[in-house]
Amino acid sequence: MTSFKQPELIITGLGVTSAIGQGKMEFISALLEGHHVFDVMKRPGRQKGTAFLGAEIPSLFLPEQLSKRLLRTASLSGQVALLTLQEAWNEANLDNVDPRRIGLVVGGSNFQQRELLQTYESYRDQLDFIRPTYSLAFMDSDICGLCTEQFGIGGLAYTIGGASASGQVAIIQAIQEVLSGRVDVCIAMGALMDLSYMELQALQSLGAMGSIRYANDPASACRPFDVGRDGFIYGESCGVIVIEKAETALTRQVNPYAILSGWSLVMDGNRNPDPSYEGEVCVIQEALKQAKMSPSDIDYINPHGTGSGIGDEIELRALYDCQLPHAYLNATKSITGHGLSSAGAVEIITTILQMRESRLHPTRNLEEPIHSSFNWVRNQSVPHVINNAINLSIGFGGINTAICLQRI
């Protein structure tokens, strides 16, 4: 009996927009320098007698190729989605792929909350004047509509929610769409989660989001894995990844970034935000097994690493017990902030760009790690050739994901 051999899956295009940079070049440069823009947030709808900290995109430079008609009525999440997809689309040379063989999976749900709240506040006393396009914009599927119209995508498109793991859930689902043969190329997007003061207040009250302790020192507020952490700090971002089989990419002039060697999604059976040691151990072990790797093969870890009081502890315990403390480890959110629905995609992009640069970005504010036994990248970037990496992304509701990447 012959065993089934899974086709090699590769990443052929990347797009990223974040508070620290628009496009891959700006983004990786800022990461390696440890450059941040944490401050009291100023975007309308983010504060109501409050002073929530975060990292906001300073301005958008929208390319001429994007439809001005679509942009005019698109939300911030929609505009950033179009901009970020444009970068990945061009790099993967997708104009030369049959549009009916291209799919799109958008990771995230309820990600336009700030603009929806603003609409409510603007029109609650003049309901008859509400703009008709609101009937489209309030749905998550509007991001799919904007992207499929702009780029002519004719295969499949849908959104998929996974809380803070949405970006990696979208990647795993895009992988399945390619393996199933429904499409030849599938785009995974971690959409920009546009929070309003309502969500920010609730997350802070829950104890998930900081930072009361560093309210007067925004630069010090985001500190994953540090003894002084007090919760995640929000950061606007969007990430796009193009996935296909190696054999289909050969027909176009594209330079693949990395091999998707293993992945896993495990549920805890828990509605609450509590992380699960057992779930994280299981998802790491399953991803390694599928990648046919042992823990010793992994030389870099990009963790979930939010700055959560409980979450950071449990994640490190899971990594330690999975025999991974030898691998280099840094925390991307210490520089970008936590993009929630976008985080998993942005951090996969971070791993791939570090792989290409053979250099690892620093972890800001890691003054006293909660566990000293790990191979931390602290306040300076370090040279390192990544051969095999694992990315973890965890979400409320008991969602655990892991993806293994291999150098080409």
Side-chain angles (χ1 to χ4, degrees):
M1 181 177 177
T2 58
S3 60
F4 172 74
K5 187 176 186 301
Q6 182 174 281
E8 189 172 81
L9 291 173
I10 59 174
I11 293 168
T12 56
L14 302 176
V16 63
T17 305
S18 80
I20 63 167
Q22 180 174 311
K24 295 184 293 291
M25 298 302 292
E26 281 188 13
F27 181 70
I28 188 60
S29 176
L31 278 175
L32 295 177
E33 293 170 7
H35 174 68
H36 78 93
V37 294
F38 292 114
D39 204 344
V40 175
M41 291 189 284
K42 299 176 177 63
R43 207 177 287 286
R46 289 269 160 82
Q47 309 287 358
K48 189 172 184 180
T50 52
F52 297 119
L53 304 181
E56 296 176 313
I57 298 168
S59 57
L60 291 178
F61 302 99
L62 299 168
E64 286 296 319
Q65 302 103 303
L66 297 179
S67 164
K68 291 182 174 55
R69 176 181 58 81
L70 291 176
L71 290 171
R72 190 163 49 248
T73 56
S75 65
L76 175 65
S77 297
Q79 290 180 0
V80 173
L82 290 171
L83 167 66
T84 311
L85 179 49
Q86 179 79 65
E87 182 182 23
W89 184 278
N90 290 345
E91 185 172 46
N93 198 13
L94 294 184
D95 281 336
N96 290 322
V97 178
D98 179 354
R100 298 251 172 224
R101 302 298 300 165
I102 300 174
L104 170 67
V105 181
V106 177
S109 54
N110 305 316
F111 41 65
Q112 303 179 86
Q113 295 299 99
R114 183 184 64 89
E115 296 210 16
L116 299 185
L117 180 65
Q118 285 186 292
T119 300
Y120 168 76
E121 290 180 338
S122 297
Y123 291 98
R124 61 182 171 184
D125 296 325
Q126 46 180 350
L127 193 59
D128 289 345
F129 294 94
I130 194 166
R131 64 189 191 281
T133 52
Y134 179 74
S135 61
L136 304 174
F138 81 86
M139 300 183 194
D140 293 339
S141 58
D142 190 42
I143 303 294
C144 295
L146 288 166
C147 291
T148 55
E149 179 171 341
Q150 172 68 52
F151 296 96
I153 296 169
L156 57 90
Y158 54 86
T159 64
I160 187 165
S164 293
S166 293
Q168 278 205 175
V169 172
I171 293 169
I172 291 169
Q173 191 60 34
I175 288 169
Q176 300 301 335
E177 295 292 4
V178 172
L179 289 177
S180 74
R182 291 181 67 192
V183 290
D184 295 329
V185 177
C186 201
I187 300 159
M189 174 184 292
L192 187 151
M193 174 70 80
D194 193 3
L195 299 181
S196 77
Y197 59 77
M198 294 279 287
E199 294 76 46
L200 293 165
Q201 180 63 56
L203 287 163
Q204 192 172 82
S205 298
L206 181 68
M209 189 184 83
S211 169
I212 296 171
R213 186 181 305 173
Y214 301 97
N216 297 318
D217 185 12
S220 300
C222 195
R223 44 199 321 117
F225 302 117
D226 187 73
V227 168
R229 71 200 184 283
D230 75 336
F232 79 81
I233 304 298
Y234 170 71
E236 293 178 341
S237 62
C238 176
V240 173
I241 294 164
V242 179
I243 298 165
E244 58 188 306
K245 296 175 186 175
E247 60 198 57
T248 65
L250 288 173
T251 62
R252 308 188 317 284
Q253 292 183 335
V254 292
N255 295 313
Y257 278 99
I259 298 167
L260 287 154
S261 52
W263 53 89
S264 178
L265 191 157
V266 170
M267 299 299 294
D268 297 332
N270 176 21
R271 179 231 175 163
N272 296 310
D274 319 23
S276 163
Y277 163 80
E278 292 79 10
E280 293 182 32
V281 167
C282 183
V283 83
I284 292 167
Q285 291 176 340
E286 285 194 3
L288 289 173
K289 181 179 179 181
Q290 188 184 43
K292 297 181 173 57
M293 291 181 189
S294 66
S296 62
D297 292 322
I298 299 295
D299 52 50
Y300 170 71
I301 302 163
N302 192 296
H304 187 56
T306 64
S308 159
I310 300 173
D312 285 8
E313 286 272 5
I314 287 178
E315 185 171 17
L316 290 183
R317 185 154 65 95
L319 288 168
Y320 187 89
D321 289 350
C322 286
Q323 302 172 42
L324 288 167
H326 65 278
Y328 271 114
L329 185 153
N330 56 13
T332 301
K333 292 181 182 74
S334 72
I335 302 173
T336 62
H338 190 355
L340 302 172
S341 56
S342 66
V346 169
E347 286 155 18
I348 286 284
I349 292 167
T350 296
T351 297
I352 293 168
L353 293 177
Q354 290 178 113
M355 189 179 282
R356 179 156 285 193
E357 294 287 327
S358 294
R359 196 163 195 90
L360 306 180
H361 72 70
T363 304
R364 294 188 65 259
N365 297 320
L366 188 60
E367 296 169 0
E368 188 179 350
I370 54 178
H371 292 292
S372 58
S373 53
F374 283 83
N375 193 5
W376 296 106
V377 185
R378 295 183 68 169
N379 61 352
Q380 297 289 330
S381 68
V382 299
H384 176 61
V385 175
I386 302 174
N387 291 305
N388 296 294
I390 188 165
N391 279 61
L392 304 182
S393 197
I394 316 298
F396 285 0
I399 304 167
N400 306 280
T401 68
I403 294 176
C404 294
L405 296 166
Q406 182 179 348
R407 173 183 286 273
I408 289 181

